[in-house]
Amino acid sequence: MPDVTLTTLQSLKQNGEKIAMLTAYDATFAQACSQAGAEVLLVGDSLGMVLQGHDSTLPVTIDEMAYHTASVKRGNNGALIISDLPFMAYSTSEQTLLNSARLMQAGAHMVKLEGAGWLAEPIRLLAERGVPVCAHLGLTPQAVNILGGYKVQGRQEAQARQMRADAMALEQAGAAMLLLECVPSELANEIAQAVKIPVIGIGAGPGTDGQVLVLHDMLGLSLSGRVAKFVRNFMEGQSSIQGALNAYVKAVKDGSFPAAEHGFSA
Ligand code: KIV
């Protein structure tokens, strides 16, 4: 497939074709996921949990993100690479610019920031300087200590109204993409319809423009033994990892994943 760009993702949204995204942290899996047809690889700070064994993403550093981004770039076969700015790596304008530059120079095509309406400022700053941004709303794991755990967000009407307004404000500020994590399916669907930029969901139901899962989760691997409601084990019925990755991309594309049971109600 030709290299995936932002324009490709926008066309997929316009044509109603689902976008398949997976996390990847190294060259071998970047190659396997991109060859399976995933349009987007996310070098997520989830690597702090699934690779390093921490109980949150907070310990992950910018050096580690740059290292894994460079590894993913070497194995990638045409997918668009998004890298997470880790915890507190975008708390000032100077940090935001310098740390985004680290990730872009390591091989990212876009950076991802977690937050809410306040992200408008860093998004504007980066977009004006040529760095596309994915804004991560809903359950934002870097804020787990404020949220009081990994819980569904946007269930109360006031919270839902705020999230809708934030999504539109961030699009207006220049966000290239939104990611909604653990948001009631109906709200995620409304947000995806309200904005023109692609909206990717994880635990956000079937109505978003695309889906992402953490690689280890969809391969049936879990350090804690706990499996989130929105995860499906794609190794079931497959005899190889490549088969499971292919099955994931196919299921996202044909709309069979996520099913209603993988989503949350308000
Ligand atoms: O860090 C990550 O892998 C993520 C996904 C859970 C969306 O942000």
Side-chain angles (χ1 to χ4, degrees):
M1 92 182 151
D3 286 0
V4 174
T5 64
L6 256 183
T7 316
T8 320
L9 301 179
Q10 278 150 2
S11 309
L12 289 173
K13 172 164 179 142
Q14 276 156 17
N15 298 337
E17 193 183 326
K18 298 284 184 185
I19 298 166
M21 173 165 160
L22 278 169
T23 67
Y25 316 102
D26 66 28
T28 307
F29 274 101
Q31 185 182 64
C33 294
S34 51
Q35 282 179 352
E39 284 98 359
V40 186
L41 302 181
L42 171 65
V43 188
D45 60 357
S46 52
L47 68 85
M49 298 173 85
V50 298
L51 299 191
Q52 299 174 337
H54 294 297
D55 60 2
S56 79
T57 58
L58 273 63
V60 177
T61 67
I62 188 69
D63 287 348
E64 289 164 348
M65 291 308 302
Y67 171 89
H68 286 283
T69 300
S71 306
V72 165
K73 177 194 163 66
R74 288 191 283 269
N76 180 32
N77 193 356
L80 184 133
I81 299 172
I82 304 181
S83 289
D84 270 337
L85 277 174
F87 181 62
M88 284 295 155
Y90 44 108
S91 49
T92 66
S93 298
E94 193 183 353
Q95 276 185 333
T96 304
L97 291 171
L98 291 176
N99 289 327
S100 299
R102 291 277 314 274
L103 299 182
M104 298 298 281
Q105 288 175 336
H109 302 108
M110 189 185 297
V111 297
K112 177 161 79 61
L113 275 59
E114 295 183 10
W118 63 271
L119 288 177
E121 199 184 314
I123 287 173
R124 199 169 290 114
L125 187 73
L126 288 168
E128 280 171 353
R129 286 159 181 81
V131 180
V133 181
C134 174
H136 182 152
L137 303 179
L139 169 55
T140 48
Q142 291 173 13
V144 62
N145 293 300
I146 289 272
L147 300 176
Y150 297 99
K151 298 175 183 166
V152 180
Q153 302 296 310
R155 275 191 154 142
Q156 287 120 15
E157 186 41 43
Q159 256 193 341
R161 208 177 314 119
Q162 187 63 55
M163 207 183 297
R164 269 186 230 111
D166 288 347
M168 314 235 323
L170 297 181
E171 174 179 46
Q172 196 66 32
M177 192 185 276
L178 291 180
L179 189 146
L180 299 178
E181 178 166 355
C182 290
V183 168
S185 303
E186 207 183 308
L187 174 60
N189 189 24
E190 281 167 21
I191 292 174
Q193 309 252 351
V195 297
K196 291 199 176 62
I197 54 177
V199 178
I200 306 294
I202 175 165
T208 54
D209 306 308
Q211 297 295 323
V212 61
L213 279 182
V214 169
L215 181 66
H216 295 58
D217 292 345
M218 56 79 67
L219 292 177
L221 298 169
S222 166
L223 262 182
S224 67
R226 288 189 297 274
V227 180
K229 179 181 193 238
F230 54 80
V231 171
R232 184 169 133 195
N233 177 359
F234 283 88
M235 278 304 290
E236 273 169 15
Q238 300 295 331
S239 56
S240 70
I241 287 175
Q242 192 65 58
L245 299 173
N246 296 346
Y248 168 77
V249 172
K250 181 172 177 300
V252 170
K253 295 276 174 199
D254 68 19
S256 56
F257 178 79
E261 81 239 28
H262 298 113
F264 299 100
S265 56

